[in-house]
Amino acid sequence: MRRRKKAKADYFKLRLTVVVGLFLAAFGVIIFRAVQLQIVKGPELKKMADRQHRKTLNLQSKRGDIYDRNLKALAVSVEVDSVFAQPDKMESPRATARALSRVLGVSSFEIEKKLSGEGRRFVWLKRQVDLKSEDRELIRGLEGVGIIKEGRRFYPNRQLASNLIGFTGVDANGLEGVEKYYDAMLKGSSARLTGERDAMGRVILYDDLDKAVPLQGMEVELTIDKTVQYIAEKSLKKAVDSFNAKGGTAIVMDPLTGEVLAMANQPSFDPNDIRRYGSGSWRNRAVTDTFEPGSTFKLFLIAAALEENIVKPESRYFCENGKYRVADRVFHDTKEHGWLTVTEILKYSSNIGTAKIGEELGSEQVYRYLKAFGFGKRNGVDLPGEAAGVLRHPKDWSKVSLHTISFGQGVSVTGLQMVTALSAIANGGFLMQPYVVKSVKEPGGRPVAETHPAVVKRIISEETASKLTRMMVESTREKSTGELAALPDFEVAGKTGTAQKPDLKKGGYARGAYIASFLGFVPADDPRLAILVTVDEPEVEHYGGTVAGPVFREIAEESLAYLGVFREGAGAPKVEKALMHKEAPARAAGETFEIRPMAVPDFTGKSVRMVMRMSRERSFDVEIKGSGRAVSQSPPPGSSIPSKRPVKVEFR
Amino acid sequence: MTRIRDIDRVLIISTLLLVVLGVVMVYSTSYVVAMKRFGDEYFFVKKHLTYAVAGVVLMIAASRVPYVLYRKMAYPILIAAAVFLILIYIPGIGFSAGGARRWIRLGPVAFQPSEPAKLAVIFFLAYSLAAKRDLIKTFSPGFLPNVLIPGVIIGLIMFETDLGTSLALASIVFLMIFAAGVRLRYILGSLALLGLGLWFVVHNFRYMMDRILIFVDPWKDPEGKGFQMIQSFLAFGSGGIYGVGLGEGRQKLFFLPEAHTDFILSVIGEELGLIGVAGVVAFFVVILACGMKVAMKAKDLHGQYLALGLTFMVVFQAAMNMGVVMGLLPPKGLPLPFISYGGTSLMVNLVAIGILLNIYIRENEA
């Protein structure tokens, strides 16, 4: 009996051992599997997990604001809600759609349609929507629906400078204008981050991510002056409306620096609501569109003739009493003239007189000077879509090309090219690099990039510029073509233009389709503003003087008053004076380099190589004597860069 | 004598360490989800901690209740368990969560009747096997009632689509009757029958079939049905030997579903590495060893079988859960004892340890 019991106990023990053995085997397999997963396959699995978590996130950094030159806001970013859904995470799309319909103002049928796509993991329901806080709560309470903060662009001045500033798309990328050209900076170059995300695709913030949190986009400060821009737009719109014109542009430039102070376009649009406007109104015509300049172009031909000493302002030309036959063409003047001085040719805008001056100058010289003034190639302004215009090489010219180009036909230009070339006359002969962005700054205000005035090339001498300026002033006196552009308090140097538009379908010129323009700067003796006004296809009136002249006057008068420029007596030659204006603060800052681009810098103590580099940057020639460090120079520092002679520098 | 004294101490310490690890891991795993869903990162851990404290109190209480009670009360408890399992289907009392109808609410208390039902079955078997010790080799009453009566309970649990619990409980039944000396041919024969039945069930319930297919090749549908399995693998893989550090895991960030319940070991694997996983396994082996020792030293056969059944319950479920999260077994929806979030399971397992302690104490008193 006892033995049996013992045997039974042993039997129990044996069975127990079997069971324990099974368990231990099972745990052994588990440990084996853990080793396999965590060590053998570990790195491979980890890589997969990383790929899943780490995703290059376009953490929408706040897009940088755009300011005018006085730091008045032109484009700002505000945070708004965007609602998304993850259809595979919701139980009843229908119920969700019904709940969201009221909040989003979208029919529940439409929402349901968006949610019903097979296998959709993410879908936007409505982007950039203004939500009340209780609506936000409601959305947060729904499964599979969420809110992402997105930056929306807001343009507080609506239409103001819209063609220049451009606008952004719903993904906050710049699509036009400054928004497009400076997109990378406005976005913030470090906005792309590698971050953690969870299975719902949301960003999980860890400590180390905090430090790298999306940089804000850079702020962009324009050369535009909001008030001048407003004046230009208001005046242009008035003319375009009253003459029932197709469009127009008005550009205001600081002739001494090449800074664009205003760039007005018609038609225009409200960038806050671009869909309401046709894409035709988005263009910044001042740089994207070309036109035949017509009579305003005569300025540059006469500048070339003066510079080459072929004519003097008082030289006389016979204007053929209004009919001048060249090859198979007959050129006409609007009024019949006999003998005219060059000044009068400009004043009465005689095509025949200008053509004859062109003849004397010759194709090669005309081409060379027009090229130098910047025609036929892009100015390289910091705006997208700039056109180059057309200035053919003389070898492609017909028998009458020289004549027509002389008075502005058979070439095409952009408005910006015209103002930039005009500025060269206004500032004593320097073709400046035009630009619209003064500086790019970090959100804290530290400048990242600054644009300084830069001389592209010296084209004409100060003497030529000064003579031409006097002639232009004559063109705005009473009984001249430009009399309506004259200001009571300031002398205006200007030129009218009335160009027939080419007929693109039939060839030749379209009947009754004109571009009326006025090109001028004020005050003539101390230019502060260089202005181009063009009005596209005005009705009833089409003369540049009557259509564009008054616009010019209004812009000039109001802008000068706003800028605090008052009448003063004629003084020193204008460029010297301009330089003196800018010289004093420059000296104080100990920086003679960038502030005064038209002055000869101080080379004292600089190496030969440095001097070469500095002269190249300013586009003038140097004559080098000796070696070592610069000890003397001629002309002295601060004087105007000579147009023909090189700057002599002695080294020892 | 000191060796035996060690047993209860080791058992208590192992259990409590696992419970503490559970509280820590539930917090680490759930705070992001809790924050998102309830705006309170402590939402889950607060509840879990409450259950843990209640569980430990129950464990102490159970260690004071003479285990003879479970012999006397075996039938009433079994019937109560069956009633509760049926109550699930009565509207207003039973309710479902997570796609399965497993819960009942009595007053303020909500619980899963299938968890205490496991205890009821073990109480019954321990009593029944001990009572029929001399007839154990017979088909009836040695084998048949000991399979059929638990079979009713298991059937009820299976009916509420809790395949994991019913399979675990069936395994415990077979382990117990095997240890008690039921003829091997009866066991193997019924296992074969059960396999056939299982085959039939799996084929008729799509979700079970899906689980099996996913187990065979989770990579076939990594975005859909294999998602959870793969996310679990990625968690283990990310952890390596030493883990990424407590609280630093990323898989729990909505990637790994049920991270704080059934798949908590995956998060342990990610955050504490192979070392953490091996530690958890080691503690369950220790509990197994202690349970076996208690069984060996029990003063009567009823105590022996009871100790066996309770130990199996805890350890078998642990092994099964680990097998699932590591892809060795098809997914079944079983919590990891002591660690996973879930009040009923935690308390039932702690009560089991309490009863083991009582069996050990009674042995010492004799």
Side-chain angles (χ1 to χ4, degrees), chain A residues 479-646:
Chain A
K479 291 192 180 149
S480 308
T481 46
E483 63 178 332
L484 289 176
L487 266 61
D489 287 347
F490 300 96
E491 280 188 331
V492 172
K495 180 74 195 82
T496 60
T498 309
Q500 275 186 289
K501 287 180 80 174
D503 190 322
L504 297 175
K505 283 179 198 135
K506 295 184 205 148
Y509 286 90
R511 191 167 288 277
Y514 294 89
I515 290 183
S517 62
F518 192 90
L519 184 65
F521 55 88
V522 278
D525 57 350
D526 180 15
R528 297 290 298 270
L529 307 170
I531 305 171
L532 169 74
V533 177
T534 66
V535 178
D536 189 9
E537 290 189 27
E539 287 178 6
V540 190
E541 287 281 357
H542 61 261
Y543 287 108
T546 33
V547 177
V551 181
F552 173 90
R553 188 186 59 215
E554 197 172 319
I555 296 173
E557 195 168 20
E558 291 179 21
S559 300
L560 287 175
Y562 157 74
L563 292 170
V565 178
F566 300 107
R567 181 179 202 167
E568 45 183 326
K574 57 184 179 292
V575 168
E576 245 67 23
K577 208 162 150 194
L579 288 170
M580 272 155 61
H581 284 216
K582 311 228 163 193
E583 209 161 3
R587 280 266 162 85
E591 174 61 81
T592 54
F593 184 46
E594 267 137 348
I595 312 278
R596 296 175 299 116
M598 298 156 221
V600 175
D602 188 355
F603 289 130
T604 316
K606 302 260 190 308
S607 66
V608 176
R609 219 165 116 193
M610 190 65 185
V611 169
M612 299 282 282
R613 194 174 70 88
M614 288 165 79
S615 63
R616 238 193 342 269
E617 275 171 0
R618 241 157 283 212
S619 314
F620 63 81
D621 295 328
V622 281
E623 193 182 298
I624 287 164
K625 267 186 192 163
S627 63
R629 299 276 161 180
V631 287
S632 69
Q633 66 185 87
S634 158
S639 52
S640 174
I641 293 171
S643 57
K644 295 208 177 75
R645 296 170 286 120

Side-chain angles (χ1 to χ4, degrees), chain A residues 105-118:
Chain A
V106 180
S107 79
S108 64
F109 175 74
E110 244 172 274
I111 298 176
E112 211 184 318
K113 212 164 69 186
K114 279 189 177 176
L115 296 177
S116 59
E118 184 63 35

Side-chain angles (χ1 to χ4, degrees), chain A residues 20-31, chain B residues 7 10-11 14-15 18 277-293 311-312 314-316 318-319 322 336 338 356:
Chain A
V20 171
L22 281 175
F23 272 115
L24 290 181
F27 283 122
V29 170
I30 284 164
I31 290 292
Chain B
I7 292 172
V10 170
L11 190 57
S14 306
T15 304
L18 285 174
V277 174
V280 172
V281 171
F283 279 120
F284 280 108
V285 171
V286 168
I287 289 172
L288 174 69
C290 290
M292 291 301 108
K293 271 275 192 271
T311 309
F312 291 164
V314 171
V315 181
F316 188 83
M322 293 176 182
L336 183 60
F338 306 123
L356 277 180

Side-chain angles (χ1 to χ4, degrees), chain B residues 91-271:
Chain B
I93 299 173
F95 64 99
S96 50
R101 200 169 179 88
R102 291 179 190 175
W103 297 76
I104 62 170
R105 196 195 303 276
L106 287 178
V109 198
F111 70 99
Q112 287 179 287
S114 57
E115 290 291 328
K118 291 194 286 193
L119 286 180
V121 169
I122 291 164
F123 292 163
F124 165 76
L125 266 185
Y127 148 77
S128 171
L129 291 172
K132 290 153 193 162
R133 75 188 83 171
D134 295 325
L135 300 166
I136 203 73
K137 295 285 174 203
T138 62
F139 180 72
S140 180
F143 166 73
L144 204 56
N146 294 333
V147 178
L148 280 186
I149 293 171
V152 171
I153 300 289
I154 291 167
L156 282 171
I157 295 173
M158 188 139 52
F159 202 66
E160 52 169 284
T161 66
D162 191 351
L163 189 65
T165 306
S166 41
L167 271 180
L169 189 49
S171 308
I172 293 163
V173 170
F174 280 105
L175 286 172
M176 281 180 78
I177 60 174
F178 170 75
V182 169
R183 279 185 194 280
L184 211 53
R185 63 181 118 124
Y186 298 151
I187 292 176
L188 292 178
S190 55
L191 274 179
L193 270 173
L194 206 65
L196 266 172
L198 210 61
W199 181 248
F200 173 78
V201 169
V202 163
H203 264 264
N204 281 280
F205 291 89
R206 210 190 143 69
Y207 84 100
M208 293 184 191
M209 196 66 201
D210 285 348
R211 284 180 174 188
I212 306 247
L213 289 177
I214 282 315
F215 163 65
V216 174
D217 185 11
W219 302 98
K220 211 150 78 185
D221 187 10
E223 291 284 300
K225 290 163 186 140
F227 185 73
Q228 191 173 25
M229 224 43 255
I230 286 173
Q231 294 305 328
S232 177
F233 293 163
L234 296 187
F236 279 108
S238 298
I241 299 178
Y242 304 104
V244 296
L246 196 61
E248 300 289 317
R250 297 172 303 185
Q251 284 298 97
K252 65 199 180 194
L253 304 174
F254 309 100
F255 286 108
L256 185 59
E258 308 295 324
H260 60 300
T261 58
D262 296 354
F263 280 77
I264 200 157
L265 189 72
S266 314
V267 180
I268 293 175
E270 185 183 10
E271 299 193 350

Side-chain angles (χ1 to χ4, degrees), chain A residues 299-313 315 317 357-370 372-373 457-465 467-468 643-644:
Chain A
L299 287 177
F300 309 112
L301 181 92
I302 290 171
L306 288 170
E307 181 73 8
E308 289 298 313
N309 274 322
I310 283 168
V311 300
K312 291 191 175 67
S315 309
Y317 283 86
I357 297 169
E359 277 173 24
E360 274 188 53
L361 206 51
S363 305
E364 289 300 327
Q365 291 286 44
V366 167
Y367 177 76
R368 189 166 67 83
Y369 272 94
L370 293 179
F373 270 110
K457 191 170 188 165
R458 172 135 213 188
I459 313 161
I460 53 171
S461 69
E462 205 171 312
E463 199 193 339
T464 301
K467 277 181 196 160
L468 189 54
S643 57
K644 295 208 177 75

Side-chain angles (χ1 to χ4, degrees), chain A residues 325-576:
Chain A
R325 180 178 290 275
V326 178
D328 57 340
R329 282 275 301 270
V330 180
F331 299 118
H332 295 275
D333 276 341
T334 44
K335 275 183 191 159
E336 292 165 18
H337 299 288
W339 287 90
L340 291 179
T341 61
V342 175
T343 304
E344 286 165 336
I345 287 173
L346 199 62
K347 181 172 177 172
Y348 302 123
S349 199
S350 164
N351 289 348
I352 295 166
T354 326
K356 286 192 164 181
I357 297 169
E359 277 173 24
E360 274 188 53
L361 206 51
S363 305
E364 289 300 327
Q365 291 286 44
V366 167
Y367 177 76
R368 189 166 67 83
Y369 272 94
L370 293 179
K371 215 57 186 173
F373 270 110
F375 297 108
K377 60 175 186 288
R378 289 180 185 86
N379 280 130
V381 71
D382 42 352
L383 285 171
E386 194 192 353
V390 177
L391 173 63
R392 286 192 192 86
H393 191 271
K395 69 177 197 295
D396 300 322
W397 288 3
S398 72
K399 280 173 190 148
V400 294
S401 289
L402 176 61
H403 303 80
T404 59
I405 289 170
S406 296
F407 51 82
Q409 286 183 7
V411 287
S412 73
V413 300
T414 66
L416 187 67
Q417 284 174 341
M418 290 296 278
V419 191
T420 309
L422 172 74
S423 293
I425 298 170
N427 67 26
F430 299 91
L431 188 74
M432 303 303 293
Q433 172 62 49
Y435 61 101
V436 299
V437 168
K438 256 175 107 72
S439 69
V440 177
K441 292 173 184 165
E442 280 179 1
R446 200 174 70 83
V448 178
E450 286 185 65
T451 320
H452 298 286
V455 174
V456 176
K457 191 170 188 165
R458 172 135 213 188
I459 313 161
I460 53 171
S461 69
E462 205 171 312
E463 199 193 339
T464 301
S466 152
K467 277 181 196 160
L468 189 54
T469 302
R470 293 326 306 167
M471 293 162 74
M472 289 167 74
V473 169
E474 289 304 313
S475 298
T476 62
R477 295 219 191 276
E478 264 179 73
K479 291 192 180 149
S480 308
T481 46
E483 63 178 332
L484 289 176
L487 266 61
D489 287 347
F490 300 96
E491 280 188 331
V492 172
K495 180 74 195 82
T496 60
T498 309
Q500 275 186 289
K501 287 180 80 174
D503 190 322
L504 297 175
K505 283 179 198 135
K506 295 184 205 148
Y509 286 90
R511 191 167 288 277
Y514 294 89
I515 290 183
S517 62
F518 192 90
L519 184 65
F521 55 88
V522 278
D525 57 350
D526 180 15
R528 297 290 298 270
L529 307 170
I531 305 171
L532 169 74
V533 177
T534 66
V535 178
D536 189 9
E537 290 189 27
E539 287 178 6
V540 190
E541 287 281 357
H542 61 261
Y543 287 108
T546 33
V547 177
V551 181
F552 173 90
R553 188 186 59 215
E554 197 172 319
I555 296 173
E557 195 168 20
E558 291 179 21
S559 300
L560 287 175
Y562 157 74
L563 292 170
V565 178
F566 300 107
R567 181 179 202 167
E568 45 183 326
K574 57 184 179 292
V575 168
E576 245 67 23

